[in-house]
Amino acid sequence: MSALVLDGAAVADATIARVADAARALGLTPGLAVVLVGSDPASQVYVGAKGRAAKLCGFHSVQHTLPETTSEAELLALIDDLNRDPAIHGILVQLPLPKAIDSSRVLEAIDPAKDVDGFHPVNVGLAASGVFERALIPCTPAGSMILLDRACELLGRKLDGLDAVIIGRSNIVGKPMAQLLLARNCTVTIAHSRTRDLPAVAARADVLVAAVGRPEMVRGDWVKPGAIVIDVGINRIPAPEKGEGKTRLVGDVAFDEAARVAGAITPVPGGVGKMTIAMLMANTLTAAARAKGLAAPSV
Ligand code: NAD
């Protein structure tokens, strides 16, 4: 293995510690409300981790768990209450929502100033216009950027002018990641399921971001020697070697193959996933600081 393996867990822990310190220094108690509708097991795990991180940061943390049968009107009423609650600075509605509920309506109902996921059209528009100082930026791309900066620092490189290829065009990861890389002067390509000759497109990348949801799709020979590889994918696959019925997590990148070629790479688990939660804490602190008319501390 030749690549530098980026330790997302360590960077995330350090970020969470800085968020906690900054909140204390400003005399703020940021409030985060996490709303879970239904009983999807993966969502329960994510929501639990978010609540624990908020407590670690000394935040006021509340969780609203609603039954699968909750109507859109009931959910909108809860969001209205949270929008008005001065002790709550960040509202996160865990996706996916049950099919009977229109997710876009729900996300649009969140006060953009409390939209710590960064999915409200106002925040999407601010990010697309490059007005990052007033936007709330989606957590996974924001965390990926921190790991990318860390890789550049360790490898002695600058992002300016690099060719970046993002595989995946979702609103949650691919598109906002493209805005962030563009703002840092990368030449950005967004590839997706209809891209022709994806291995050749990927092989042009100095920075390769995989956000697809297909286990180990990106092979070693798709990676340009020395490239920085950010693997956003989280896929659970069977792991019979661990015992019958056991599973393990892998990314969208075939890690061992890619690590032989890349300059730096994020592992799964222990890479981008941890950063997502840390950036949620950072966004909640930003929202709380802005609510008090303070500049958002940089963490
Ligand atoms: P999504 O399903 O919304 O989007 C996937 C994208 O991949 C689509 O734009 C699609 O065009 C593209 N795609 C699908 N098949 C492809 C193929 N064969 N070739 C090229 N492109 C293809 O997914 P998402 O929400 O962006 O999530 C992507 C992955 O990232 C998932 O594994 C998800 O679990 C993971 N994820 C991780 C975090 C984290 O905290 N690390 C956060 C969000 C998502």
Side-chain angles (χ1 to χ4, degrees):
M1 187 183 303
S2 65
L4 180 78
V5 179
L6 295 160
D7 186 347
V11 179
D13 287 347
T15 305
I16 285 182
R18 282 198 300 277
V19 167
D21 287 347
R24 222 175 294 119
L26 290 171
L28 295 172
T29 307
L32 175 65
V34 179
V35 181
L36 174 64
V37 186
S39 54
D40 176 57
S43 292
Q44 283 173 337
V45 171
Y46 293 139
V47 163
K50 288 165 186 177
R52 278 194 300 281
K55 291 213 169 74
L56 259 179
C57 288
F59 290 5
H60 165 56
S61 161
V62 288
Q63 183 178 326
H64 294 269
T65 306
L66 307 178
E68 183 85 23
T69 50
T70 302
S71 70
E72 191 174 300
E74 285 166 327
L75 181 54
L76 290 173
L78 171 62
I79 289 173
D80 191 42
D81 286 346
L82 295 170
N83 281 342
R84 291 165 196 269
D85 184 344
I88 294 297
H89 307 97
I91 303 168
L92 181 146
V93 178
Q94 184 65 43
L95 299 177
L97 287 169
K99 286 196 173 54
I101 298 180
D102 179 343
S103 303
S104 61
R105 267 177 191 274
V106 171
L107 296 179
E108 285 167 32
I110 297 172
D111 177 347
K114 297 190 177 188
D115 167 40
V116 282
D117 251 341
F119 298 156
H120 190 285
V122 166
N123 284 313
V124 174
L126 287 169
S129 315
V131 188
F132 295 105
E133 64 282 6
R134 281 196 284 123
L136 286 164
I137 305 297
C139 301
T140 301
S144 299
M145 287 306 293
I146 291 189
L147 291 181
L148 184 52
D149 276 330
R150 180 96 183 113
C152 287
E153 186 189 321
L154 293 169
L155 296 173
R157 291 190 202 157
K158 285 206 161 22
L159 272 180
D160 260 56
L162 294 187
D163 277 322
V165 173
I166 302 158
I167 313 178
R169 57 178 160 183
S170 72
N171 292 332
I172 293 174
V173 188
K175 286 183 202 160
M177 190 72 203
Q179 304 291 0
L180 294 174
L181 288 166
L182 258 185
R184 298 291 298 281
N185 301 321
C186 288
T187 302
V188 180
T189 302
I190 306 182
H192 46 78
S193 51
R194 304 289 180 89
T195 296
R196 273 179 287 164
D197 199 359
L198 186 57
V201 173
R204 293 203 305 258
D206 302 307
V207 173
L208 182 60
V209 181
V212 184
R214 290 184 176 251
E216 302 178 323
M217 182 185 84
V218 176
R219 310 309 307 186
D221 59 3
W222 299 25
V223 176
K224 181 176 175 176
I228 301 172
V229 179
I230 305 288
D231 190 354
V232 179
I234 300 180
N235 309 289
R236 192 165 281 286
I237 61 165
E241 71 280 5
K242 286 168 65 180
E244 204 187 309
K246 297 281 185 197
T247 60
R248 66 189 173 100
L249 292 181
V250 296
D252 289 343
V253 177
F255 181 84
D256 290 342
E257 289 178 18
R260 275 183 225 120
V261 189
I265 187 165
T266 62
V268 178
V272 173
K274 296 270 180 188
M275 288 305 296
T276 297
I277 291 179
M279 298 322 289
L280 176 66
M281 301 305 124
N283 275 352
T284 307
L285 172 63
T286 294
R290 288 179 183 161
K292 286 264 184 314
L294 303 170
S298 97
V299 290

